[in-house]
Amino acid sequence: MARRKLIAGNWKMNNSNKEALELVNSLKDLVKDVKDRDIMIAPAFTCLSDVYNAVKGTNIKLGAQNLYFEEKGAFTGQISADMLLSVGCEYVIIGHSECRDIFGEKDELINKKVKRALDKNLIPVLCVGEHLEEREKGITSDIVSSQTKEAFKGLTETEAKKVVIAYEPVWAIGTGKTATPQDADDVHKTIRETLKSVYNESVSDNAVILYGGSVNEKNADDLLNMPNIDGALVGGASLVSDKFARIVNYIAK
Ligand code: PGA
């Protein structure tokens, strides 16, 4: 089945409001003719509102880099789903390895965040991926499959079909090392098999699974032409409009 490609930029903790607007305004022009792929950018919370005003009515969708699962209240420093909706977000990244590793986010919390995003009609971009030691031990499939199952716990089939998954091997993030297209495709297949075992073939076939980890303008064509890779979650290269636009405009073979 033909899945629509999604190219997403995760800006992480970068860009002042002014810099964010410069970046998005330059990007807008470079990708304005793209119609057959979805484009999403996830700026820092502080820039969401202004970036939304810059992309409103264009082919660029807005995402946030995280959310908290509670409705509102005494949760200092946290951002709710309603707050993200109020500034135009359609997507939210959940379970990024930096949130898992630096801020101690566990599968249970990630599952609550995925559920909250879905309740509020935000599309979760769920990140999964193994550490280098885990790959070396040969347990990549176990790790990725278990992270997927835990994050999907309690989701109905309809909800499961809305989740975008990003496979991001932790050792490839920001390091310049990428999984080979074949290795990445194999893990994407494992994720599809996991979804098939928990749900069914339709959920597995429908799932949009992005690859992330040092995707750049040079390796994008090879990665994005693999049968099980439905797009990219791009960090570093999404901060440079020309590079990100080249990834968005990858050449389909
Ligand atoms: P990178 O980051 O492209 O800089 O490796 C990807 C990510 O963390 O989403």
Side-chain angles (χ1 to χ4, degrees):
M1 74 155 311
R3 291 175 295 263
R4 200 173 152 88
K5 293 275 203 266
L6 167 64
I7 314 297
N10 173 10
W11 291 4
K12 307 193 181 184
M13 197 173 77
N14 292 292
N15 291 330
S16 65
N17 206 41
K18 182 168 173 279
E19 289 163 340
L21 287 172
E22 282 165 9
L23 176 54
V24 73
N25 283 326
S26 151
L27 180 67
K28 238 171 30 177
D29 280 346
L30 295 169
V31 300
K32 65 176 184 320
D33 297 326
V34 175
K35 295 195 175 67
D36 59 340
R37 313 167 178 179
D38 290 325
I39 307 167
M40 183 272 266
I41 50 174
F45 293 130
T46 47
C47 310
L48 287 172
S49 185
D50 281 356
V51 170
Y52 177 61
N53 285 322
V55 298
K56 210 174 359 184
T58 73
N59 56 350
I60 303 177
K61 308 254 172 71
L62 193 65
Q65 297 174 22
N66 206 343
L67 88 174
Y68 194 56
F69 67 87
E70 294 283 1
E71 278 287 335
K72 60 166 156 176
F75 304 102
T76 303
Q78 302 302 307
I79 303 281
S80 72
D82 283 335
M83 290 169 182
L84 298 181
L85 291 168
S86 77
V87 290
C89 287
E90 291 179 56
Y91 292 84
V92 59
I93 298 171
I94 296 176
H96 191 280
S97 63
E98 285 148 17
C99 300
R100 292 178 191 258
D101 293 349
I102 305 173
F103 305 112
E105 291 198 9
K106 300 271 179 293
D107 286 330
E108 198 188 332
L109 175 65
I110 290 163
N111 175 243
K112 286 183 178 162
K113 291 184 174 195
V114 169
K115 284 184 173 154
R116 175 58 70 190
L118 289 166
D119 285 348
K120 297 285 183 176
N121 274 327
L122 282 162
I123 303 171
V125 179
L126 167 74
C127 302
V128 298
E130 82 288 2
H131 293 90
L132 186 58
E133 313 82 79
E134 293 162 339
R135 171 157 288 257
E136 284 168 350
K137 274 195 216 149
I139 55 169
T140 298
S141 298
D142 301 336
I143 298 291
V144 165
S145 171
S146 144
Q147 287 173 336
T148 305
K149 281 186 188 152
E150 293 296 319
F152 276 72
K153 229 177 218 172
L155 302 193
T156 63
E157 178 178 337
T158 315
E159 288 172 328
K161 282 187 172 164
K162 295 183 183 152
V163 180
V164 171
I165 299 173
Y167 166 56
E168 299 205 306
V170 182
W171 49 269
I173 295 178
T175 57
K177 291 182 198 151
T178 34
T180 64
Q182 190 57 58
D183 283 348
D185 199 74
D186 288 346
V187 179
H188 286 218
K189 250 185 260 163
T190 302
I191 295 171
R192 285 194 206 288
E193 273 153 28
T194 305
L195 292 174
K196 190 170 159 191
S197 75
V198 177
Y199 295 93
N200 52 43
E201 197 145 346
S202 154
V203 173
S204 160
D205 285 350
N206 262 285
V208 171
I209 309 181
L210 316 180
Y211 169 78
S214 297
V215 175
N216 60 36
E217 67 290 2
K218 298 196 184 80
N219 57 29
D221 291 356
D222 288 341
L223 287 160
L224 290 165
N225 275 291
M226 296 303 288
N228 287 291
I229 300 185
D230 307 314
L233 182 56
V234 186
S238 72
L239 298 172
V240 183
S241 57
D242 293 354
K243 292 187 179 178
F244 188 63
R246 173 62 184 84
I247 300 170
V248 169
N249 285 304
Y250 79 91
I251 296 158
K253 289 172 192 154

